[in-house]
Amino acid sequence: MKIGTQSLIFGIVMGLFRILQGKSIGEIFLTFVASALGAFITLYIYKDGDARNSVNKNKK
């Protein structure tokens, strides 16, 4: 699954938790955007770190 897709799914799930709590549309949207962006950045860094480690292992 691509990083963008995983991030959007995470954002939707976090937004659903806010809907179940009865929060306003603004809070739901903010939660969706913030969690999706945070997940995207985290997954991008994690993927990039794995790529660097595998390259370094192959050089040895």
Side-chain angles (χ1 to χ4, degrees):
M1 193 179 314
K2 296 196 180 238
I3 293 174
T5 307
Q6 288 178 330
S7 301
L8 289 176
I9 291 171
F10 183 73
I12 290 169
V13 169
M14 295 304 289
L16 288 175
F17 285 133
R18 288 294 194 176
I19 290 170
L20 292 174
Q21 291 176 348
K23 301 293 181 178
S24 68
I25 296 295
E27 284 186 48
I28 294 167
F29 181 73
L30 183 62
T31 301
F32 168 74
V33 171
S35 59
L37 184 61
F40 182 82
I41 292 170
T42 304
L43 290 169
Y44 184 78
I45 290 171
Y46 177 73
K47 176 187 168 201
D48 191 36
D50 282 350
R52 271 192 240 137
N53 289 337
S54 65
V55 169
N56 290 337
K57 288 178 185 175
N58 291 336
K59 286 183 179 178
K60 292 182 180 179

